[in-house]
Amino acid sequence: MDHARDMLGARDSPEQQLAMLIDSVSDYAIFLLDPGGHVLTWNLGAERNKGYTAAEIIGEHFSIFYPPEGREAGRPAAVLAAAERDGRFEEEGWRVRKDGTRFWANILITAVRDEHGNLLAYGKVTRDLTQLRLAQQELELFASSAAHDLQEPLRTIAGFSELLVRRHAPALPDDAREFLDHIAAAAARMQRLISDLLLYARSGPGEVQRVEVRLANAVGPVLADLHGALSERGLEVAVDVPGDAVVLADEAGTGLLLQNLLSNAVKFADAQEPKVGVSARREGAEWLVAVSDNGPGVPDAHRDRVFEPFTQLRHDEGAGTGLGLSIARRIAERHGGRIGVDSAPGEGSRFWFALPARD
């Protein structure tokens, strides 16, 4: 320990030693932005990661690292607003080097405040994940291909099971009919799993074709798709979504986000007097959409991992595949948005997501 302290310089202050450490890191871009988003400091990792020297970049606005579509959508201002509001902001997305090449990056922005809570700067850490993303894409391509290949034999199993029941049911003993029912039910569950696996693979990181999506219009088709489940439960969803709630997002992805959260809420709402609501409110550069229910709530032990793949809060026949919330999270993050849950056991759940607002 004494030797390490001597190497760093016994007379250096802790602040100077920390600055020396940050300057020497080469795998991560670590730098400060002023409250307006201009670069204040620049380490070796930032130069290696983005291609600019300190002399070239200090004083420039950090929006220079965004691709044109990101700047046009107002992403630089949106992420700073989110970091100021929440204390931190994290996302993955395309960024641009000095030479114009793009790389897939993990970005963490943290608001730096003084003892009185005044915003002094933003700390920004960027990591190049391009190779990891390529490997992930290969894995997702394999999963998608395998899922497609499994669909045909499953359809064959389900089809012949149905034919046996329809043509030979009277001649079959009771236990044989029961076995066929089990086969048909298992094939149906496997089909749902395959469909969800395909959605999960397709909802991974990638370019998003953003259009203006009016949230009130997106809710209607989702409720129509859920009409059977709503009627079965005698449930009418309370909708409080302003007409001016417009996000810049993929239309199909927005619909799937709502579909997954609403179908979950309908499934978990109170058995005797079910209540489900969907609402939206503007928060800075985002619209926050919340779907609430009056069900049993999410147990404390599950709250941190409820968005992880194959996590299930129920294990009965209607429990689903455990991928719905994982798909929702991937869609939200793919848009540079956020997703979360506020819940307490016995007090229902409020699942929410935030997407970039149209200016």
Side-chain angles (χ1 to χ4, degrees):
M1 178 69 84
D2 291 339
H3 177 66
R5 185 160 50 243
D6 291 341
M7 291 182 65
L8 285 170
R11 288 171 297 188
D12 291 336
S13 69
E15 291 80 7
Q16 290 172 315
Q17 293 174 0
L18 178 61
M20 290 170 57
L21 174 63
I22 292 173
D23 285 342
S24 66
V25 172
S26 60
D27 292 331
Y28 293 80
I30 305 173
F31 54 98
L32 287 174
L33 305 174
D34 70 16
H38 301 89
V39 178
L40 292 173
T41 65
W42 200 244
N43 78 328
L44 176 64
E47 181 173 339
R48 177 181 172 184
N49 197 294
K50 298 177 183 290
Y52 295 93
T53 65
E56 291 172 321
I57 201 63
I58 288 178
E60 295 291 332
H61 196 270
F62 87 115
S63 59
I64 196 172
F65 308 132
Y66 282 75
E69 62 271 19
R71 294 196 296 270
E72 292 168 7
R75 289 302 295 160
V79 300
L80 288 188
E84 181 179 6
R85 180 187 66 242
D86 301 328
R88 69 188 299 277
F89 177 84
E90 185 172 6
E91 71 170 348
E92 291 186 8
W94 290 112
R95 295 298 183 266
V96 180
R97 296 188 177 91
K98 177 186 174 182
D99 63 6
T101 58
R102 296 189 180 203
F103 66 102
W104 189 259
N106 172 266
I107 296 96
L108 175 64
I109 300 179
T110 305
V112 181
R113 300 182 181 275
D114 63 18
E115 64 272 18
H116 304 294
N118 300 311
L119 180 66
L120 299 178
Y122 295 99
K124 190 168 186 290
V125 180
T126 302
R127 183 185 179 196
D128 186 349
L129 296 180
T130 306
Q131 293 304 314
L132 182 62
R133 180 173 182 268
L134 290 174
Q136 183 181 31
Q137 285 180 320
E138 290 180 3
L139 181 60
E140 289 171 353
L141 182 61
F142 169 77
S144 178
S145 176
H148 275 296
D149 291 343
L150 285 170
Q151 284 182 322
E152 184 57 37
L154 265 178
R155 279 194 290 265
T156 301
I157 292 169
F160 277 110
S161 299
E162 183 181 344
L163 277 174
L164 275 171
V165 172
R166 193 164 61 234
R167 293 183 181 179
H168 304 287
L172 292 173
D174 291 342
D175 59 347
R177 286 197 296 271
E178 182 181 348
F179 296 154
L180 282 172
D181 289 341
H182 287 311
I183 291 171
R189 286 196 301 272
M190 182 62 76
Q191 186 61 57
R192 288 197 300 271
L193 176 59
I194 288 173
S195 297
D196 281 354
L197 280 171
L198 285 170
L199 283 173
Y200 184 77
R202 292 167 182 164
S203 63
E207 295 287 351
V208 173
Q209 298 300 317
R210 289 182 171 86
V211 297
E212 293 185 359
V213 179
R214 193 171 299 276
L215 292 172
N217 293 345
V219 173
V222 174
L223 294 180
D225 288 343
L226 293 173
H227 176 73
L230 294 173
S231 298
E232 183 179 339
R233 302 213 57 189
L235 178 57
E236 185 172 340
V237 176
V239 179
D240 181 17
V241 178
D244 63 346
V246 180
V247 296
L248 292 173
D250 172 71
E251 190 169 11
T254 304
L256 191 53
L257 261 172
L258 287 165
Q259 177 93 25
N260 282 338
L261 296 192
L262 274 167
S263 61
N264 226 42
V266 171
K267 184 190 305 178
F268 284 98
D270 181 74
Q272 304 303 318
E273 297 183 9
K275 293 181 181 179
V276 171
V278 55
S279 62
R281 71 172 187 269
R282 182 73 181 254
E283 286 195 355
E286 299 175 318
W287 276 98
L288 189 145
V289 181
V291 177
S292 59
D293 67 68
N294 64 340
V298 180
D300 294 340
H302 289 81
R303 199 168 304 129
D304 291 340
R305 57 188 186 89
V306 72
F307 293 100
E308 296 298 320
F310 303 110
T311 297
Q312 293 180 326
L313 299 184
R314 282 170 48 178
H315 298 281
D316 54 32
E317 188 175 342
T321 62
L323 283 172
L325 291 177
S326 302
I327 293 168
R329 182 178 67 176
R330 298 191 82 178
I331 293 172
E333 292 177 348
R334 187 179 182 185
H335 285 79
R338 302 173 291 133
I339 193 167
V341 58
D342 303 316
S343 182
E347 298 181 11
S349 300
R350 176 180 173 271
F351 284 86
W352 55 266
F353 64 88
L355 294 177
R358 179 192 64 184
D359 291 335

